[in-house]
Amino acid sequence: MLNATKMVHFLDMFLQYKILALPVSPTVVILLVIIISLIVIYNKKYARLYKLLDSIPGPSALPIIGNTIEINVDHDEIFERLSGMRQLWGARTGFSKGWLGSNPYIFISKAEHVEPIMGSSKHINKSSDYNYLHPWLGTGLLTSSGCKWHIRRKILTPAFHFRILDDFIEVFREQSNLLVEKLAKEVGKGSFNIFPYITACTLDIVCETAMGWQSNAQNDSESDYVKAVYEIGSIIQQRQAKIWLQPDLLFRFSNLYKRHENCIKILHNASNKVIREKKEEVQKQKEKKTNKQDNNVTEDDSSVFGRKKRLAFLDLLIEASKGGTVLTNEDIREEVDTFLFEGHDTTSAGLCWLLFLLASNQKIQDKVASELKDIFGDSNRSFTMKDLHEMKYLDCCIKEALRLYPSVPFLARTLQEDIKLGKHIIPAGTTAMIVLYGLHRDPEVFRNPEIFNPDNFLPENSQGRHPFAYIPFSAGPRNCIGQKFALLEEKSVASSILRKYRVEAVDRREDLTLLGELILRPKNGIRLKLYPRN
């Protein structure tokens, strides 16, 4: 911290003795006064912050650049460095500090310390780390704050009502069956990467259910959209970790900028196409309805209502736009981009980790297969909503996979006011980084936390557990609006695969290199072997 007292003393000497015997112009004096005033204000503002944070465990930080050097490592190592801070510095307290440049961070991995942040309506503003998503997602439901977030949340919540989700089951069935057909070519032919198959399936599902758009990603092995999502996630992670890439001006001169802009173009072209075609469809439906009314022709409202339910998300946005007076085209695109991304990439990662863990634990996989056998017997019929609800053990497996490998490994909030964690006061303005990867591995909550054990989520074992000890879909006011949708989708896809095939792992967990970008995924995908289910 700069010493303002010494600076004031220096100015006094300068004025009295005219250091170096140079003439002193009024302009020089004014500039010096301004500089010293700014230093005094800076010290007054940050002195308390530095004092409070000084007692919190964490690595030593350098002036200005903070701990940037510690995370200036190869892309593959960043997640390991960040998640490792819990073990090095926060094992005792459940939190530790770090500095990204001059910005203070608190890394939290204990439920009792997560609750006052995630459970509060005061700390709902996302941190500045999310700003790098703005060129792509704008300020939609994921990244917005304040009044705008409240309005968007209110508009979109009805799109995920259980009655609407029930109408999506048909799409889950169609796309899951197509995935099973696509996987048939891998049966008995050695190892393959499951990620591209699952990602294409989840993209097709979210596009058709929420947008009314058939993306046909499962029939397009080289989806530009999926590749752009992967690449922009890597670019954003690099900007977050490297302070010299954070200013927009410097970023524009980097070799990443052109790739970034190309990704944005691909992603926005896709969402704009969805919106344009949907608006044209809505307009045609209005014209058709008007013509029928003019001709006194009636139709079955249930079919129309059923269709509206199936396309509820985009329908709600277009209806809420009031012809552009409430939501502009850009507003609609923000939400479409957000849900195209969150609705497929997070679910895809969750499914792949689930299949990998089951493939690595044959006894648990056999138990899931036995449950499915009890539900379906020897029939090949498609699943129903009732069937999905009866998959109790598969549900535990999905939750346990999300415990070990949460699709979103970090959540970040900017503290709006001071909070107390243990004996420490965390000052307002600090970024609170919730490390889900560490939070879900707390040995005081989950015995043998590294072991894949679906029994952790049996009712008798979940009872009394701290509500913020397990939050794969976030928690509090900003919890994930689509979590029921995601869990039903995971059950649908996973059960379809496991009824038909037995999966076997190729890699060991300890050999996988984790990439903690926007989504937690392994560097080289997940390789499995596939065999017919006897």
Side-chain angles (χ1 to χ4, degrees):
M1 187 169 63
L2 299 171
N3 193 318
T5 304
K6 291 182 179 179
M7 291 298 294
V8 172
H9 180 64
F10 172 78
L11 178 61
D12 181 61
M13 290 177 58
F14 185 87
L15 294 175
Q16 288 188 41
Y17 302 106
K18 298 183 181 180
I19 294 175
L20 301 179
L22 294 175
V24 181
S25 69
T27 303
V28 172
V29 173
I30 291 172
L31 286 174
L32 283 170
V33 170
I34 291 174
I35 291 171
I36 292 175
S37 297
L38 290 174
I39 292 172
V40 171
I41 292 170
Y42 178 90
N43 275 269
K44 186 176 181 181
K45 180 179 179 179
Y46 287 98
R48 178 175 178 271
L49 183 145
Y50 290 135
K51 183 179 179 181
L52 290 173
L53 293 177
D54 187 57
S55 62
I56 296 173
S60 300
L62 296 172
I64 301 176
I65 64 173
N67 300 112
T68 304
I69 293 176
E70 282 93 330
I71 59 173
N72 183 32
V73 294
D74 290 341
H75 185 66
D76 303 352
E77 297 181 42
I78 294 176
F79 177 75
E80 184 179 350
R81 288 287 181 95
L82 290 176
S83 58
M85 289 188 70
R86 171 181 66 96
Q87 297 174 322
L88 287 173
W89 303 100
R92 183 175 58 84
T93 60
F95 56 90
S96 59
K97 75 167 182 291
W99 294 82
L100 186 57
S102 58
N103 300 316
Y105 282 71
I106 296 294
F107 299 90
I108 303 173
S109 56
K110 278 283 188 182
E112 60 266 32
H113 301 323
V114 172
E115 183 174 14
I117 299 168
M118 303 300 290
S120 170
S121 59
K122 297 176 182 177
H123 307 296
I124 63 171
N125 288 350
K126 299 292 183 74
S127 77
S128 59
D129 300 275
Y130 291 80
N131 292 349
Y132 306 113
L133 288 165
H134 289 174
W136 173 21
L137 304 181
T139 50
L141 192 63
L142 175 65
T143 54
S144 60
S145 59
C147 183
K148 183 173 183 177
W149 173 77
H150 282 286
I151 292 172
R152 297 289 176 89
R153 180 86 180 198
K154 186 176 181 180
I155 290 172
L156 296 174
T157 295
F160 294 93
H161 189 274
F162 73 92
R163 289 178 57 193
I164 294 174
L165 294 179
D166 187 62
D167 202 58
F168 291 159
I169 295 298
E170 181 183 348
V171 179
F172 291 170
R173 282 196 292 257
E174 292 171 357
Q175 297 301 335
S176 296
N177 289 338
L178 179 57
L179 172 62
V180 169
E181 291 177 15
K182 295 290 182 182
L183 287 173
K185 68 180 182 181
E186 303 289 356
V187 175
K189 294 185 178 180
S191 65
F192 70 102
N193 183 9
I194 190 68
F195 253 96
Y197 287 98
I198 300 295
T199 300
C201 179
T202 58
L203 180 58
D204 278 346
I205 286 174
V206 74
C207 285
E208 190 170 352
T209 54
M211 309 298 168
W213 169 45
Q214 293 186 338
S215 59
N216 293 316
Q218 292 202 76
N219 293 314
D220 179 9
S221 60
E222 296 294 327
S223 171
D224 289 338
Y225 182 89
V226 171
K227 288 190 289 186
V229 169
Y230 277 34
E231 183 167 16
I232 201 168
S234 174
I235 293 170
I236 289 170
Q237 196 274 341
Q238 291 183 67
R239 287 197 73 184
Q240 290 172 332
K242 302 181 185 300
I243 59 173
W244 56 88
L245 291 176
Q246 293 177 3
D248 290 338
L249 181 61
L250 295 180
F251 178 60
R252 287 175 179 271
F253 287 101
S254 74
N255 59 1
L256 295 176
Y257 180 72
K258 187 175 181 180
R259 290 164 50 197
H260 178 273
E261 293 304 291
N262 185 56
C263 290
I264 293 293
K265 182 179 179 181
I266 292 171
L267 297 168
H268 282 178
N269 282 346
S271 53
N272 285 329
K273 181 177 183 291
V274 172
I275 296 166
R276 183 175 63 253
E277 292 179 355
K278 180 59 182 174
K279 283 190 169 184
E280 290 173 357
E281 180 186 336
V282 169
Q283 183 60 35
K284 288 179 181 178
Q285 288 176 349
K286 286 182 178 179
E287 292 173 357
K288 184 179 179 180
K289 184 176 180 180
T290 301
N291 291 335
K292 287 187 176 183
Q293 288 175 343
D294 291 342
N295 294 306
N296 295 319
V297 177
T298 61
E299 63 178 342
D300 183 3
D301 289 337
S302 63
S303 63
V304 176
F305 182 66
R307 183 171 181 79
K308 288 184 74 175
K309 286 197 298 178
R310 181 164 172 172
L311 308 180
F313 174 74
L314 194 48
D315 281 340
L316 278 172
L317 284 173
I318 292 174
E319 183 180 347
S321 71
K322 304 294 183 185
T325 58
V326 176
L327 295 177
T328 66
N329 281 341
E330 185 176 349
D331 293 331
I332 295 174
R333 196 199 70 215
E334 289 177 344
E335 301 303 345
V336 168
D337 281 328
T338 297
F339 274 80
L340 282 179
F341 160 57
E342 287 200 290
H344 94 275
D345 210 18
T346 54
T347 309
S348 171
L351 274 164
C352 289
W353 284 118
L354 168 68
L355 291 171
F356 170 69
L357 290 166
L358 290 174
S360 304
N361 296 268
Q362 290 297 319
K363 288 184 179 180
I364 295 176
Q365 184 182 164
D366 289 343
K367 193 171 179 179
V368 173
S370 177
E371 177 180 69
L372 296 175
K373 182 78 170 179
D374 290 341
I375 294 171
F376 296 99
D378 295 325
S379 73
N380 292 320
R381 68 175 179 84
S382 296
F383 55 81
T384 63
M385 180 66 87
K386 181 175 179 293
D387 294 328
L388 296 178
H389 287 313
E390 289 180 2
M391 298 176 190
K392 304 295 186 182
Y393 190 68
L394 178 57
D395 186 72
C396 291
C397 292
I398 291 171
K399 290 176 179 177
E400 176 69 352
L402 288 171
R403 180 186 72 81
L404 286 169
Y405 298 104
S407 296
V408 180
F410 302 105
L411 302 170
R413 298 285 189 273
T414 298
L415 298 183
Q416 303 302 303
E417 59 182 43
D418 293 357
I419 63 168
K420 187 174 183 180
L421 300 183
K423 298 179 180 179
H424 300 272
I425 300 294
I426 313 300
T430 303
T431 295
M433 185 74 75
I434 313 301
V435 185
L436 271 65
Y437 189 82
L439 175 70
H440 291 176
R441 283 171 161 76
D442 187 346
E444 294 181 9
V445 179
F446 300 100
R447 187 165 48 175
N448 298 320
E450 294 294 336
I451 302 298
F452 177 60
N453 179 18
D455 288 356
N456 281 324
F457 292 93
L458 292 174
E460 59 270 26
N461 294 331
S462 300
Q463 188 175 6
R465 182 177 296 153
H466 196 293
F468 288 84
Y470 174 75
I471 53 171
F473 294 100
S474 188
R478 294 202 72 151
N479 67 341
C480 176
I481 195 173
Q483 58 183 290
K484 291 181 180 179
F485 178 99
L487 289 172
L488 285 173
E489 182 180 354
E490 283 206 43
K491 277 188 182 181
S492 301
V493 176
S495 63
S496 298
I497 294 173
L498 295 170
R499 286 176 67 188
K500 188 76 174 180
Y501 306 118
R502 180 173 63 84
V503 290
E504 184 179 295
V506 175
D507 301 308
R508 299 181 305 169
R509 283 175 55 187
E510 55 267 33
D511 294 333
L512 297 178
T513 299
L514 301 184
L515 299 180
E517 298 172 343
L518 300 178
I519 303 300
L520 181 63
R521 58 169 62 90
K523 179 183 178 182
N524 298 312
I526 287 177
R527 294 184 300 153
L528 300 177
K529 290 182 179 180
L530 217 58
Y531 301 96
R533 175 70 62 184
N534 295 327

